[in-house]
Amino acid sequence: MNDFRTLKLLDRLEGVFRSMKIDYPVLRSILGMKLTLDERRVPTILNDGKKREGNQFIRSLWIYVLFSLLLLLFMWGDSYIYQMTFIFSIIIFFLMTTMISDFSTVLLDVRDKVTLHTKPIDKRTINAAKIIHITIYMLFIVGALTIIPLIVGLVNQGIIFFLLFLLQLIFIALGIIMVTALAHMLVLQFFDGEKLKDIINYVQILMTVGMVIGTQLVARSFEFINLDIVMQPHWWQFLLPPFWYSAWFEVVLNGSSTPFYVTLAGLGLIMPVLSMLLYVKFISSFERNMEKLLNSSQSKKKNRNLWYVWMGRIWNRNKESKQLFHFALTMMKNEREFKLKVYPPMIFSVFIPFLFILNQLQFGSLADVRDSKYFVTFYGSLVFMSTVAQMLLSSEKYKGAWIYGILPISDRRNVTKAAIKAAYVQLYLPIFLLIGIGYSFLFPIHVLVQFLTLGLASFLYTVVSYYVINGKQLPFTQPFGVTQQDGTFKSILLFIFAVILGVIHYAVLHLPFGVLLYSILLLIANIVIWVKFFSKDFVKV
């Protein structure tokens, strides 16, 4: 087992852990084991089958460094409440998204119950190991996301700014972990069985929705008046964490001593500490309630969903394709980790088109939007499908992929075809319909005709996403893992592809019969890509 640098740094806090009655040598061994497993686990999910050394999560941090360049736009000037609110909003957005999609599964991991709780190890030490394991990765993300802004802030704003920024980042990282843990604690306290697993998904969806609404409220807290940025105080700003942390800069660096800023700064100190105290107080009941996740009190009522039966008939021409289609639907419906990773971005993608329109309403009226071509913003919803394509390869029961080899499947390509169609029907069509209903109130009814073009573009995007990210690998054949370098880079390329599709649609709106021609081209592209993608056999399982 490697002696990680992270653990060597942690050794300096050994006295702190001992004062908290934590068995530090055991804690160190558990963390060493978890970090070693993280290194060994990731290479098995690489899509190209190549073996790579080291922790692929660490290697993927460059993408956060790239995003950190956005923060530099707000690093100049002394309007700290405005600048730092936007910086902290972006940081919290990234951290919260990562926490929900990647680390909730670590927080709810019950494998320790089998491997560690059967040993004479204090539960306090096991719980500390779990939180520190997540904190290590969150701090890596925070470091990658803020290393450049911190250096720029030190040079541009001085040492006090740097220290304040660093302190607030630590509070934010710990606060996000604690709040996520407390939300799951609450759910585990009141629900159990299969309903519990569904409720966890709903809570994460609500957190995602709350994050989107919070981001919009932050953007609407500031106004441009005579080339100055002015903040209008409102009561609901006390509910938004970015204001808590940015108020510190206003109080310390600008000397603002109004009750409004002092109260906000006080919340930035009190809330993380309070959440940590609550977590420590209820951690034992949290661990006890996590045993509910081990229960498999499944009341297997086979309710046939008529919608999916109908979709199965429309999308498939023979019995084998229909069976594989329903197999893929069942896999996606029953895979808890799949839903944990896919549902939050799925909900977010519903809001993306409306956020563009909402921003436009700041500069015009609803009538202006109604007469505009802003309906092309529905292409923003496509980005989510690259995440689905990536997750479609993974399964908690990936070792059962051997069934592809023994079942009498006439053509294994049908497995992937069915999975792509099932993912599109189960995950994208609801988004498609929700946006369509919303647009029917915002735009003239004839705009809904454009959704035929979007339908063709979205299915093309789904197929291309699966091909670019997964190649010819069969679905549900790999274990879940942390974000990987290749997947992130390919997701960026697919994001650019979605933008190109939207720009073309916007351009052809200005041409006679442009939309009709574009639709025909998309139909041809769908057929060509579908045929080319499935022209050769797939790799063996």
Side-chain angles (χ1 to χ4, degrees):
M1 192 165 63
N2 293 334
D3 193 12
F4 297 92
R5 291 179 185 174
T6 314
L7 297 180
K8 291 179 180 176
L9 286 174
L10 204 65
D11 289 342
R12 302 186 179 187
L13 299 175
E14 182 175 351
V16 177
F17 290 116
R18 289 189 185 282
S19 67
M20 298 169 67
K21 298 180 181 178
I22 291 171
D23 189 340
Y24 183 73
V26 174
L27 173 76
R28 199 180 193 284
S29 299
I30 295 172
L31 286 172
M33 177 192 68
K34 288 178 179 288
L35 294 174
T36 303
L37 287 174
D38 290 342
E39 282 198 339
R40 292 174 181 173
R41 180 176 53 184
V42 175
T44 61
I45 66 170
L46 289 178
N47 293 335
D48 55 11
K50 295 176 182 176
K51 293 286 183 185
R52 301 186 181 191
E53 297 296 329
N55 191 316
Q56 294 303 306
F57 173 82
I58 304 298
R59 290 171 182 269
S60 70
L61 291 176
W62 66 269
I63 191 67
Y64 293 100
V65 177
L66 194 64
F67 281 124
S68 72
L69 299 178
L70 286 173
L71 304 182
L72 298 182
L73 297 173
F74 303 97
M75 295 298 293
W76 314 97
D78 58 359
S79 181
Y80 297 114
I81 190 68
Y82 159 71
Q83 295 166 222
M84 300 312 294
T85 296
F86 274 90
I87 287 176
F88 288 134
S89 296
I90 294 170
I91 292 171
I92 290 174
F93 177 83
F94 273 106
L95 293 183
M96 202 71 194
T97 305
T98 306
M99 184 68 204
I100 292 172
S101 62
D102 287 336
F103 294 111
S104 287
T105 50
V106 180
L107 194 66
L108 298 172
D109 192 352
V110 291
R111 285 175 296 182
D112 287 352
K113 293 280 180 188
V114 179
T115 56
L116 297 177
H117 285 246
T118 54
K119 310 293 186 300
I121 304 175
D122 181 50
K123 287 185 179 178
R124 187 189 297 264
T125 303
I126 297 174
N127 296 331
K130 176 181 286 187
I131 289 300
I132 293 171
H133 182 215
I134 298 173
T135 305
I136 287 171
Y137 282 107
M138 291 296 278
L139 290 179
F140 272 128
I141 295 174
V142 171
L145 199 56
T146 58
I147 183 66
I148 296 177
L150 275 169
I151 294 171
V152 172
L154 177 63
V155 174
N156 190 39
Q157 304 278 4
I159 185 68
I160 297 178
F161 177 93
F162 173 83
L163 293 175
L164 266 180
F165 196 3
L166 193 62
L167 182 66
Q168 303 306 320
L169 290 174
I170 295 171
F171 278 158
I172 287 172
L174 290 175
I176 286 174
I177 296 171
M178 295 299 117
V179 167
T180 308
L182 288 171
H184 288 119
M185 277 185 192
L186 197 64
V187 174
L188 286 165
Q189 185 70 32
F190 294 104
F191 298 94
D192 57 12
E194 286 302 300
K195 184 180 287 186
L196 168 65
K197 298 169 185 176
D198 292 334
I199 293 292
I200 288 173
N201 288 139
Y202 298 148
V203 168
Q204 290 170 339
I205 289 170
L206 286 175
M207 291 171 77
T208 306
V209 172
M211 199 165 52
V212 172
I213 294 172
T215 306
Q216 287 304 302
L217 288 175
V218 166
R220 277 154 182 74
S221 297
F222 301 96
E223 293 181 4
F224 284 94
I225 300 176
N226 297 328
L227 299 178
D228 291 325
I229 301 170
V230 178
M231 176 180 167
Q232 301 295 336
H234 298 285
W235 65 267
W236 42 261
Q237 286 159 346
F238 291 106
L239 304 177
L240 300 175
F243 287 106
W244 304 347
Y245 303 110
S246 59
W248 273 92
F249 294 84
E250 202 65 31
V251 171
V252 176
L253 297 178
N254 276 349
S256 301
S257 57
T258 61
F260 180 73
Y261 287 124
V262 172
T263 307
L264 283 173
L267 287 171
L269 178 64
I270 293 170
M271 296 308 287
V273 174
L274 182 63
S275 60
M276 277 187 273
L277 291 175
L278 287 173
Y279 179 80
V280 171
K281 182 175 177 58
F282 295 109
I283 183 62
S284 56
S285 63
F286 179 47
E287 287 296 323
R288 193 167 53 250
N289 288 329
M290 275 183 57
E291 292 176 4
K292 294 177 181 179
L293 292 170
L294 293 170
N295 297 334
S296 57
S297 55
Q298 302 177 10
S299 55
K300 291 286 185 183
K301 293 180 181 178
K302 291 189 176 181
N303 297 325
R304 287 178 67 82
N305 188 313
L306 295 179
W307 165 256
Y308 291 130
V309 172
W310 185 51
M311 285 287 109
R313 289 173 183 167
I314 291 177
W315 286 81
N316 302 283
R317 286 182 294 182
N318 57 55
K319 185 178 179 182
E320 180 182 282
S321 296
K322 287 178 189 172
Q323 289 172 335
L324 291 171
F325 177 84
H326 288 287
F327 166 75
L329 287 176
T330 304
M331 289 293 291
M332 288 186 285
K333 186 178 177 182
N334 293 336
E335 291 269 350
R336 184 162 61 93
E337 194 161 347
F338 179 86
K339 290 190 283 187
L340 285 175
K341 291 180 179 295
V342 165
Y343 280 14
M346 177 181 169
I347 298 302
F348 188 59
S349 68
V350 176
F351 285 93
I352 288 176
F354 295 103
L355 291 181
F356 284 115
I357 295 172
L358 210 55
N359 288 329
Q360 181 59 24
L361 284 175
Q362 287 184 306
F363 308 102
S365 66
L366 189 60
D368 294 333
V369 170
R370 188 176 177 82
D371 295 333
S372 72
K373 295 180 172 54
Y374 258 76
F375 51 82
V376 292
T377 54
F378 53 40
Y379 280 88
S381 66
L382 294 184
V383 180
F384 149 75
M385 288 309 290
S386 64
T387 303
V388 172
Q390 190 173 358
M391 291 301 112
L392 210 52
L393 192 65
S394 307
S395 170
E396 296 166 34
K397 301 177 179 65
Y398 68 96
K399 291 181 179 176
W402 51 266
I403 64 167
Y404 293 143
I406 64 166
L407 286 177
I409 301 173
S410 62
D411 189 339
R412 283 186 296 144
R413 288 175 290 188
N414 291 336
V415 177
T416 305
K417 289 180 182 177
I420 292 173
K421 289 186 280 190
Y424 186 80
V425 168
Q426 188 180 45
L427 300 172
Y428 190 72
L429 276 189
I431 296 172
F432 187 84
L433 294 173
L434 283 173
I435 296 175
I437 292 170
Y439 276 23
S440 67
F441 293 101
L442 292 173
F443 296 100
I445 198 69
H446 65 79
V447 165
L448 295 182
V449 177
Q450 304 289 335
F451 272 68
L452 296 174
T453 310
L454 173 63
L456 291 167
S458 59
F459 191 73
L460 174 68
Y461 185 83
T462 304
V463 178
V464 170
S465 294
Y466 189 95
Y467 183 74
V468 169
I469 293 178
N470 301 329
K472 291 181 177 295
Q473 294 190 87
L474 291 173
F476 314 118
T477 56
Q478 301 289 342
F480 287 102
V482 292
T483 308
Q484 55 181 305
Q485 188 176 11
D486 284 357
T488 306
F489 180 68
K490 290 171 181 174
S491 294
I492 293 174
L493 292 179
L494 289 166
F495 171 77
I496 296 171
F497 180 51
V499 173
I500 292 173
L501 288 173
V503 169
I504 294 174
H505 194 152
Y506 181 78
V508 299
L509 287 170
H510 299 83
L511 302 175
F513 305 105
V515 175
L516 178 61
L517 289 173
Y518 183 45
S519 301
I520 293 172
L521 286 174
L522 284 172
L523 179 62
I524 294 171
N526 267 296
I527 295 171
V528 170
I529 294 292
W530 188 261
V531 171
K532 185 172 177 56
F533 180 27
F534 296 107
S535 60
K536 296 179 181 178
D537 199 2
F538 288 80
V539 293
K540 293 183 181 298
V541 181

